Amino acid sequence: MASLPSLPVLGEQHFRQLQQLMRDASGIHLASNKRSLVAGRLLKRLRHFELDSYDDYLSRLTHPQYARERRLVVDLLTTNETYFFREYAHFEFLGQWLSGRGGPLRLWSAACSSGEEPYSLAMTAAEHTRGNEWSVLGSDLSQSMLGIAEQGIYDMAQARYFPEGWLHRHCLCGVDDMAGRLRVQAWLRNKVQFREINVVQPLPDKLGQFDVIFLRNLLIYFDSAQKQHIVRNLADKLRPGGLLFIGHAESIHGFNLPLRPVRPSVFERL
């Protein structure tokens, strides 16, 4: 029996190069225990270029004509798993907070990935606010994820946590060649704007102020100093009394910020 071909090995030196690439491009630090995950995600790119080693692949990334490939590396190495109404208790509390409020209201999903979170914010605002004077911003550093978000088309499996009745009020369910898929309704898509923003970098001058900011499941990628820098910048974009939501597995304890806890992983701007 013929032996199977051996897989390329991502050595320590090449992993350090990728750590530096990610740090320069996004500010994200790849922990040393992520080496096997990184190797697995980039193996498909080696196969795409018909390369035998990570050394050959990393050599390509140093050339100016491979700028798009370097960006793709950042996309591949950033976890983008998400779904509608993830960590549902946050949306339940947000709905209570928004109930009866009039506009104008601005909500921001600051690490929106493929768009399920900002659309979940939009549906919550549509269900609970008084009037229609609200808007949602979804931002991410991944252009490919933002492209998916702008289309607003998802597998029906993503709808498993929708509150009762919301799917049919806010989405169209596909038929024929679109069977098994959904699309966020046009009027709701029009209430959501998407922008490429890296929250590690200085925020755009004309970003404005927000009533609600979701910054969930992103801080886990950064060290303590970076976390404090990011949260302070976003807190500056919150109106007094506005809410900041972070992931349940994240903490900003001891950061000396103008925020007070109101629920687990929910903070109010002082």
Side-chain angles (χ1 to χ4, degrees):
M1 180 184 290
S3 60
L4 294 173
S6 59
L7 292 174
V9 175
L10 178 62
E12 178 66 28
Q13 178 182 351
H14 295 139
F15 182 66
R16 286 200 298 269
Q17 287 179 252
L18 288 165
Q19 285 178 310
Q20 189 63 51
L21 184 154
M22 287 293 288
R23 190 177 295 112
D24 292 344
S26 67
I28 291 173
H29 172 67
L30 290 173
S32 58
N33 63 357
K34 301 292 187 184
R35 196 199 305 188
S36 61
L37 180 147
V38 169
R41 291 194 177 183
L42 294 185
L43 182 60
K44 65 182 72 175
R45 302 309 299 164
L46 269 67
R47 299 293 184 247
H48 173 79
F49 290 111
E50 299 182 345
L51 300 173
D52 296 323
S53 71
Y54 290 98
D55 183 53
D56 293 338
Y57 181 65
L58 287 166
S59 294
R60 290 194 176 211
L61 294 181
T62 63
H63 296 292
Q65 64 264 38
Y66 286 97
R68 292 186 66 182
E69 185 69 19
R70 289 194 295 275
R71 188 170 198 94
L72 180 58
V73 169
V74 176
D75 286 359
L76 289 172
L77 300 186
T78 303
T79 302
N80 291 309
E81 182 200 3
T82 186
Y83 46 86
F84 290 99
F85 302 101
R86 184 179 183 181
E87 300 184 29
Y88 181 73
H90 279 164
F91 292 97
E92 190 171 42
F93 176 67
L94 177 63
Q96 296 168 1
W97 188 83
L98 289 173
S99 184
R101 290 177 183 255
L105 294 166
R106 300 186 71 214
L107 301 84
W108 179 16
S109 169
C112 76
S113 188
S114 47
E116 290 90 335
E117 183 174 273
Y119 287 130
S120 298
L121 292 176
M123 293 179 210
T124 304
E127 290 283 342
H128 291 282
T129 58
R130 187 179 70 252
N132 201 35
E133 290 186 275
W134 55 267
S135 63
V136 177
L137 171 65
S139 69
D140 204 271
L141 58 80
S142 169
Q143 290 180 338
S144 63
M145 288 295 107
L146 291 172
I148 294 171
E150 288 174 343
Q151 292 296 312
I153 299 172
Y154 303 94
D155 289 338
M156 192 63 72
Q158 294 288 74
R160 61 191 182 277
Y161 295 115
F162 270 61
E164 185 176 356
W166 287 27
L167 175 63
H168 296 291
R169 284 204 289 276
H170 301 298
C171 302
L172 302 173
C173 299
V175 296
D176 298 329
D177 60 339
M178 285 290 288
R181 311 198 79 189
L182 66 88
R183 189 173 199 188
V184 178
Q185 293 216 33
W187 74 268
L188 199 68
R189 295 199 311 273
N190 290 337
K191 299 287 285 182
V192 183
Q193 176 192 11
F194 292 99
R195 292 182 61 177
E196 181 183 350
I197 298 175
N198 185 345
V199 296
V200 179
Q201 304 297 329
L203 298 176
D205 291 336
K206 297 183 179 180
L207 194 57
Q209 297 292 109
F210 294 86
D211 300 279
V212 174
I213 297 177
F214 271 48
L215 180 70
R216 305 190 306 166
N217 307 305
L218 179 72
L219 297 177
I220 55 174
Y221 293 108
F222 301 98
D223 61 31
S224 180
Q226 289 174 309
K227 289 178 185 179
Q228 186 165 358
H229 168 75
I230 292 168
V231 177
R232 184 176 297 281
N233 281 350
L234 266 67
D236 287 345
K237 296 299 181 182
L238 265 178
R239 295 189 178 105
L243 298 181
L244 172 70
F245 293 75
I246 65 173
H248 285 298
E250 298 170 317
S251 173
I252 58 173
H253 179 72
F255 281 1
N256 190 29
L257 298 168
L259 299 165
R260 71 173 187 91
V262 294
R263 289 286 194 285
S265 64
V266 183
F267 301 84
E268 182 182 64
R269 178 67 160 88
L270 299 176

